[in-house]
Amino acid sequence: MSVRTLPLLFLNLGGEMLYVLDQRLRAQNIPGDKARKDEWTEVDRKRVLNDIISTMFNRKFMEELFKPQELYSKKALRTVYDRLAHASIMRLNQASMDKLYDLMTMAFKYQVLLCPRPKDVLLVTFNHLDSIKGFIQDSPTILHQVDETFRQLTEIYGNLSAGEFQMIRQTLLIFFQDLHIRVSTFLKDKVQNSNGRFVLPVSGPVPWGTEVPGVIRIFNDKGEEVKKTGFKHGGNYVAAQKEGAFELYGDRVLKLGTNMYSANRPVETHMSATSKNLASKTQENIAPNPLAKEELNFLARLMGGMEIKKTSGPEPGFRLNLFTTDEEEEHAALSRPEELSYEVINIQATQDQQRNEELARIMGEFEITEQPEITEQSTSKGDDLLAMMDRL
Amino acid sequence: MVAADSEGPEDRSFRMYRRERSIPLRGSAAALSNNLSVLQLPASDLMHFGVVHGPSAQILSSAPGGMPLAQRQLQVKVGVGVSPPLITQVHWCVLPFRVLLVLTSHRRIQMYESDGSLMVYWHALDSGDASSAQTLFARGIAASVHFICVGTWSGRILVFDIPAKGTNIVLNEELAGHQTPITDIATERAQGQDGVADMVTADDSGVLCVWRSGTVFTLLTRIPGFGVPCPSVQLWQGMVAAGYGNGQVRLYDATTGALHVQISAHARTICALDLAPEVGKLLSAAEDTFVHIWKLSRNPESGSIEVEHCHGECVSDTQLCGARFCDPSGCSFAVTGYDLAEILRFSSV
């Protein structure tokens, strides 16, 4: 509904992705001198984060991102994050990538839902950016890129009305509708119920600009307050203390969007079907993928702006597992419920050949661990690349 | 959780309303405002409900006990290979000789026979002088005499002239008065006056306009906003009830535009208001999970508007998005919530 939603969605999901990767890389951290050739070190971790962050905040990419446009499906967006996650030496299997995307989307859904004011989604975004800057403190070039994005956000969103923010909020919630994946950290902290729905507290501070419910004011013809009575509203609210800062630096007040993962808390998700009514499918399943062309254009534009650093020489990709063991990862891949599968975008090679070739060229820089089987029908390089993308 | 505050010797926990059986939905309700429409057919005992899911809306009918009988999904079809646009609202318009179901979405307005079986008219929104940073959509639906009024993203209100039967629906007038997207429209048939009804329109900046309808609509009063959207509005016996993004409910005199009452009613934005016209009960629902019921009245001496809180209900962990009374005396009501695939019903004991 709002054409200004994508930058907020992308940056916050990207922030959550970095939180998870950072935590997972730390958990698998081996001190540099003791590490074998195939184990992660602190240097590797910093390098992965640097590579991903510099790709995310690349100027050309940000330019495309900030253009007014509609939100595309979760499928399309997932493709962008797949590419982003592989912007470094790190490699993720399908199951780990699925889990990563689940965690990212549920975390941001939670943050949007619990934002006191619609405008506070901007504070959540700033919290993510503040943390991202923490990851790349030693790289002034990338820091400058992030600050530049900050400036762009302030320019575009700084003057939006409350009504426009409400529309952005509604657009985000429509995007996240019907997602009820249970995240163990959320369950443990009691912010999510066992049925996958988030807890909406009826206590605590009211949003900045809202009064504590329970007061009825009567006015006379002159507009003067002549009477004040109370009523029992049922919640347990208190007044807001102060407003979060929207400047480059400042106390955001709001904790939503800060890093909730620490080295001690493993990131788990429960993959059981949470929706009892399996007939209620998410929006994108209603029409059998007629979005292909629109989404292809969107992806080509967006990913065309991503500048992936080509690794010099034959360097092996380091695989990161989001699960505790390889067996667990394998099992997760096999047992993922049908309604939670992120179906890949079905590219019809017969439509818009030029666009497909352009996309294939962009994706050609993308390296994957397993070589796909070349079928007898694909004769040109373009077909091969499209076939590879179909298997993403 | 209940907050009943009738003073008296009765037990304070005496519930005025109890939960009835929910009506299941095929798809969850979308996080929109005014996302529930109810049609009570006095002739039969049937009740119709309309809820927006996203790119589709569900219309269903139920028997008095809440047992669902028939259901239908509506979509806006725009072309091959293009995804169906998001629907913003679905609402029944009761006119003197017929009832039409109106559906507003991005780019289009569609009107159907009341059971949703047949589309009788559609209107494509005009892009006019929209910039690229604006999406075109329609939102806000109400019936006034033999007109149907629909709000748009630009603030303009389209007035359609509806014949007693048939499909010869004509765009009669476009009302100017708002500069920001329309959120809601409410109308009321004026008592004792021949066919003249009053109307109030609200927008994203909180501005309210009060109109007298007719072959040409006249703007009577304009109530300024205060920087907060007004997602929902109601009109009853010369009183305008408006629900705002900061959780306030305000009551204005429709003729003068003067503010009479300001209630800090909710801790989050109000998503829906509804009125039970026979008794002057007002229902407010908000994203803070609460529903409140108020009794409106006029002081016979001073003429000022008075309000009394009747009942509060907490729908745990549910960001409400729609609420309606199910009968004109306010004995029962229904609510919808974001991500919830059912309509919750309450009726008084």
Side-chain angles (χ1 to χ4, degrees), chain B residues 158-229:
Chain B
L158 306 177
V159 181
F160 296 93
D161 196 338
I162 316 290
K165 57 183 179 189
T167 61
N168 189 20
I169 294 169
V170 174
L171 176 60
N172 194 47
E173 207 185 341
E174 283 190 33
L175 307 177
H178 293 272
Q179 268 80 52
T180 54
I182 301 295
T183 48
D184 195 19
I185 307 178
T187 54
E188 190 199 22
R189 174 157 299 206
Q191 309 300 340
Q193 280 163 288
D194 190 15
V196 173
D198 280 297
M199 176 169 87
V200 63
T201 54
D203 72 25
D204 255 351
S205 62
V207 168
L208 304 170
C209 288
V210 182
W211 310 81
R212 170 161 293 135
S213 48
T215 328
V216 172
F217 279 62
T218 319
L219 177 63
L220 298 176
T221 321
R222 196 169 180 275
I223 299 168
F226 50 101
V228 165

Side-chain angles (χ1 to χ4, degrees), chain A residues 273-293:
Chain A
T274 52
S275 169
K276 285 197 176 74
N277 182 9
L278 293 178
S280 95
K281 297 190 190 297
T282 56
Q283 274 116 257
E284 49 203 303
N285 292 346
I286 284 178
N289 204 4
L291 309 166
K293 188 166 177 185

Side-chain angles (χ1 to χ4, degrees), chain A residues 36-101:
Chain A
R36 296 194 316 260
K37 226 175 121 201
D38 58 344
E39 283 178 334
W40 290 102
T41 65
E42 173 74 7
V43 170
D44 293 326
R45 180 184 67 81
K46 281 211 164 123
R47 192 176 147 193
V48 167
L49 295 180
N50 265 335
D51 287 347
I52 294 178
I53 294 169
S54 73
T55 309
M56 251 178 91
F57 289 88
N58 166 269
R59 190 199 185 85
K60 227 174 99 184
F61 179 73
M62 280 289 139
E63 246 173 54
E64 282 301 325
L65 194 72
F66 274 87
K67 285 185 182 157
Q69 59 199 306
E70 282 183 29
L71 271 197
Y72 287 97
S73 65
K74 289 188 263 304
K75 272 186 283 189
L77 208 57
R78 159 72 192 265
T79 314
V80 180
Y81 287 107
D82 272 3
R83 181 147 162 85
L84 194 59
H86 290 90
S88 69
I89 54 171
M90 183 186 69
R91 291 292 169 265
L92 291 167
N93 282 347
Q94 173 86 333
S96 279
M97 193 63 221
D98 283 346
K99 178 169 169 174
L100 178 61
Y101 200 59

Side-chain angles (χ1 to χ4, degrees), chain B residues 19 22-25 27-29 51 335-337 339-344:
Chain B
R19 267 288 291 271
S22 300
I23 303 173
L25 290 168
S28 58
V51 180
V335 299
T336 52
D339 255 357
L340 210 60
E342 55 185 354
I343 300 173
L344 305 175

